[in-house]
Amino acid sequence: MLKFILMLLAVALFSLNGCNRKTAAVAEVPVQKNAQKVAEYQNKKTAADREAMKVQTFEQKLELMNYKLLYDNGYQKHNEGDFKGAIADFDRCIQINNTFPDAFNFRGMSKFKSGDVQGACADWRKAVELGVGAAQQMINENCR
């Protein structure tokens, strides 16, 4: 299912990219502004972000762009009671983007539901460090 969604996103991206090339001559000024914004964004990327972009396959690049899709899958599995599956999705999401606080928070919840209290507490502490204040309540109630 995930591969199918990733392939659909790839087709959509390529379609949109082709549309932009066709209209570039008509809308030259906005394209130049967009190019400037992209360049500014590229300069703001951290060294870790640039290193993460050095992946080998097209599928890996799509996965890198869609860490939130992995988070959504993990969230859904968590809500369905598949905590091990959720943890696996959150692990991959965090492997791709280790500054995404919600992934740490919900991986902590899934670990807690699976019986891994120490792992849950470590994830909640990281989530608090990254700005999820609600995780502090979970620490206060469940961690020593």
Side-chain angles (χ1 to χ4, degrees):
M1 177 75 174
L2 178 61
K3 286 184 180 181
F4 176 74
I5 292 171
L6 291 174
M7 292 307 293
L8 283 176
L9 288 171
V11 170
L13 287 173
F14 286 124
S15 297
L16 288 175
N17 191 21
C19 291
N20 288 340
R21 278 190 233 135
K22 292 176 189 173
T23 59
V26 176
E28 196 169 312
V29 174
V31 169
Q32 289 172 350
K33 285 184 180 179
N34 287 340
Q36 183 179 10
K37 287 180 182 179
V38 168
E40 289 172 6
Y41 175 75
Q42 296 281 343
N43 291 334
K44 289 181 182 179
K45 284 185 176 179
T46 65
D49 290 337
R50 286 191 296 273
E51 189 63 32
M53 292 298 289
K54 294 179 183 177
V55 292
Q56 300 300 316
T57 67
F58 178 73
E59 185 175 279
Q60 288 173 320
K61 288 180 183 182
L62 282 176
E63 191 173 274
L64 180 63
M65 294 180 340
N66 294 301
Y67 67 92
K68 288 187 178 180
L69 181 62
L70 287 165
Y71 168 78
D72 290 341
N73 286 341
Y75 182 84
Q76 182 177 357
K77 288 177 183 176
H78 173 86
N79 287 336
E80 292 171 352
D82 178 11
F83 303 118
K84 288 184 180 182
I87 291 168
D89 285 343
F90 293 135
D91 285 345
R92 184 67 184 126
C93 177
I94 290 168
Q95 186 179 14
I96 294 169
N97 182 354
N98 64 358
T99 60
F100 188 51
D102 291 337
F104 283 99
N105 188 37
F106 271 94
R107 185 174 72 173
M109 290 184 195
S110 294
K111 285 181 178 180
F112 184 77
K113 294 280 189 174
S114 296
D116 180 7
V117 177
Q118 282 186 318
C121 293
D123 282 345
W124 288 330
R125 286 186 186 98
K126 183 66 175 178
V128 167
E129 181 183 314
L130 294 172
V132 179
Q136 185 63 52
Q137 181 178 354
M138 299 303 291
I139 292 170
N140 293 343
E141 292 175 5
N142 303 296
C143 304
R144 297 176 190 200

